[in-house]
Amino acid sequence: MSTQDTPLLARQPILDTHQTVVGYELLCRPAPEDTLTWQVSHGDRATSEVMISAFNDLGIDEVTGGLPAFVNFTEHWLQNPPILPATNLVAEVLEHIHPTDANLKALRTLRKLGYRIALDDYQGEIIHEPLLPLVDIIKVDIRRLGNLDSLPGLISRYQRDGLTWLAEKVETQEEFKICRDAGCELFQGYFFSRPANVYGKRLPDNQLAVLQLIRLLNDPDAEFDDIASALQSDPQLSYKLLRIVNSAAVGCAREVTSIHRAIVIVGLSRLKAWANLISLGKLSDKPPVLREQAVVRAYLCQALTFAWPHLDDDTAFTIGLFSLLDAFLDFPLDAICERLSMPEPLTLALTRQEGDYGFILKTVIAMEQADWDSIDWNVLAGMGVTPADLEFQYLKALHITRELLRSEAG
């Protein structure tokens, strides 16, 4: 199968005002031709591929964890809806679809079938006004809006009971607050993983404690007994680690009841990796989706080392996990690396995405954001990694992350 013929599935979380994930937009793009012209002319197929992958091949619960899936509906799919349950499917009406009689009739039919309908990329265009009484969610691309000062007026002009406004491409906490105060109830973008304030602040004591533990866990000179003692001295950490070790996902023959035994059974490297991610969970002021994102990055980075035999997969896991430390701690990543005494290659991978580890991290972030043009497909092809491999490993990372976090939560 050629690169052009292989779809890639990605998901972008949709959060509410409490920064809790309430759904995912599913994105399917053949790579690397991610141009608007291509999307318009091949949109029917793209929607078909994402629905087949999500609902048939993978299972929608596996992809979204039972949350609603937002899927782009072209004019064809609008007038010929898929034979799928409407419970967890939100039909996104694309911005270039006009309110013709046929399309308005199709929307009424979708509503009768129980679908929720979202209007994508609305900017207040008069031509789209006939669609508004038939939609449940209006998505506003704030990057295209230009001036956020106009958002409250746009919302108040068309607000009605039962209508929800969703702000897209929200990149900072400040933008999130502005959109929330303007009346938006749903949000899409990477504001939840961007530091709210990274300069001129001291790390709180709880963050310092987490950082000190992480430093010990990743100190190559730390003794076995030192690490075991650090893990055992934290009852919550020990309990969660033992829950993971004894979960069905790990599959131990008999119950493991001590940290020393856990290290022997599963290995020190793997146990340290799990301890790292549990430690990040102690930063309770951060949305859960941030840790999920970090863990998915970690497993995907680790999985891609199959193409680089000279790289250490546990190091790749750590790089993926730590790639969002600045968002967890609201502190510059280079300063965090210095505090952790990270080796230079790891620091360069994290802060500049340089070197082989950095290339893997850059690829993972682009995959996560469905930014196919930023992926160097030629280098990946040279390493024997196909788009299908990347998609498979991404979805596998989502599955492992969900199982791991479920095991930890108990």
Side-chain angles (χ1 to χ4, degrees):
M1 186 176 288
S2 69
T3 301
Q4 286 80 1
D5 292 333
T6 305
L8 287 171
L9 178 67
R11 61 175 199 170
Q12 291 186 350
I14 295 169
L15 293 84
D16 63 12
T17 55
H18 303 292
Q19 298 191 31
T20 299
V21 178
V22 294
Y24 292 94
E25 180 176 0
L26 303 187
L27 301 168
C28 182
R29 301 285 190 273
E33 295 183 48
D34 187 24
T35 64
L36 180 59
T37 301
W38 194 98
Q39 290 178 40
V40 171
S41 60
H42 295 76
D44 291 345
R45 179 183 167 194
T47 297
S48 175
E49 293 287 0
V50 77
M51 286 196 283
I52 290 172
S53 296
F55 286 88
N56 294 335
D57 299 339
L58 303 167
I60 191 61
D61 286 343
E62 189 67 30
V63 177
T64 68
L67 296 174
F70 287 60
V71 177
N72 288 340
F73 269 46
T74 60
E75 195 167 54
H76 166 79
W77 285 108
L78 191 64
Q79 298 180 17
N80 301 275
I83 306 175
L84 293 170
T87 309
N88 286 327
L89 183 61
V90 179
E92 282 202 23
V93 180
L94 298 176
E95 63 273 17
H96 60 266
I97 292 178
H98 296 297
T100 63
D101 290 342
N103 288 336
L104 292 173
K105 180 181 178 181
L107 284 174
R108 295 187 189 99
T109 300
L110 283 178
R111 292 181 67 86
K112 289 180 182 177
L113 293 173
Y115 283 89
R116 280 189 293 165
I117 299 168
L119 179 59
D120 197 23
D121 285 341
Y122 185 63
Q123 307 298 321
E125 300 92 340
I126 295 177
I127 191 174
H128 286 128
E129 286 188 359
L131 298 172
L132 300 188
L134 299 173
V135 304
D136 305 285
I137 300 167
I138 294 181
K139 301 181 73 173
V140 179
D141 182 344
I142 67 170
R143 305 261 82 83
R144 292 178 58 190
L145 194 61
N147 188 347
L148 280 179
D149 292 340
S150 63
L151 185 58
L154 178 65
I155 291 176
S156 63
R157 186 171 52 179
Y158 296 109
Q159 190 61 287
R160 60 169 170 77
D161 291 339
L163 183 62
T164 300
W165 290 79
L166 185 157
E168 286 188 283
K169 297 184 180 176
V170 182
E171 299 298 327
T172 67
Q173 285 287 333
E174 182 181 4
E175 290 176 346
F176 163 69
K177 292 175 182 176
I178 292 173
C179 294
R180 181 193 61 193
D181 293 345
C184 292
E185 299 176 49
L186 299 177
F187 309 86
Q188 197 171 346
Y190 288 92
F191 63 95
F192 62 86
S193 63
R194 300 291 173 85
N197 178 23
V198 297
Y199 297 109
K201 63 174 289 187
R202 184 180 70 85
L203 287 175
D205 291 340
N206 71 313
Q207 294 187 353
L208 281 172
V210 168
L211 205 59
Q212 288 167 357
L213 175 59
I214 288 175
R215 179 173 182 174
L216 174 63
L217 291 172
N218 295 279
D219 183 355
D221 298 324
E223 299 290 337
F224 177 99
D225 290 339
D226 293 334
I227 293 175
S229 296
L231 299 180
Q232 289 174 318
S233 65
D234 187 328
Q236 184 187 50
L237 179 59
S238 297
Y239 171 76
K240 290 191 173 185
L241 280 172
L242 291 177
R243 284 202 66 87
I244 292 175
V245 172
N246 288 305
S247 69
V250 177
C252 291
R254 59 180 182 175
E255 187 175 11
V256 179
T257 57
S258 75
I259 292 297
H260 273 92
R261 181 64 178 163
I263 293 174
V264 172
I265 294 287
V266 303
L268 182 58
S269 294
R270 187 183 298 182
L271 208 69
K272 286 197 296 184
W274 290 339
N276 279 328
L277 73 91
I278 293 172
S279 297
L280 294 180
K282 292 175 176 288
L283 305 174
S284 57
D285 60 325
K286 298 300 178 181
V289 67
L290 182 62
R291 190 156 70 114
E292 179 185 273
Q293 182 185 12
V295 179
V296 170
R297 283 188 185 184
Y299 276 111
L300 187 50
C301 283
Q302 184 181 56
L304 290 181
T305 58
F306 80 87
W308 285 264
H310 64 286
L311 297 183
D312 177 64
D313 60 346
D314 290 320
T315 298
F317 181 96
T318 299
I319 286 173
L321 189 68
F322 286 178
S323 63
L324 287 165
L325 270 179
D326 55 342
F328 278 104
L329 300 173
D330 288 333
F331 213 69
L333 195 53
D334 54 353
I336 294 172
C337 289
E338 186 176 348
R339 285 182 180 233
L340 291 174
S341 301
M342 297 283 282
E344 185 178 9
L346 273 63
T347 297
L348 291 176
L350 284 167
T351 59
R352 302 183 188 177
Q353 296 175 9
E354 293 181 1
D356 289 337
Y357 287 118
F359 177 84
I360 290 176
L361 178 60
K362 182 178 180 180
T363 301
V364 165
I365 293 173
M367 176 68 185
E368 167 192 283
Q369 299 181 357
D371 184 6
W372 314 125
D373 285 342
S374 294
I375 298 176
D376 195 328
W377 298 103
N378 291 328
V379 170
L380 289 176
M383 301 303 295
V385 181
T386 67
D389 292 329
L390 191 57
E391 178 184 12
F392 172 77
Q393 296 297 348
Y394 173 67
L395 294 171
K396 184 179 178 182
L398 290 177
H399 173 75
I400 295 174
T401 296
R402 188 172 297 124
E403 290 297 315
L404 185 66
L405 295 180
R406 186 182 297 131
S407 299
E408 177 209 324

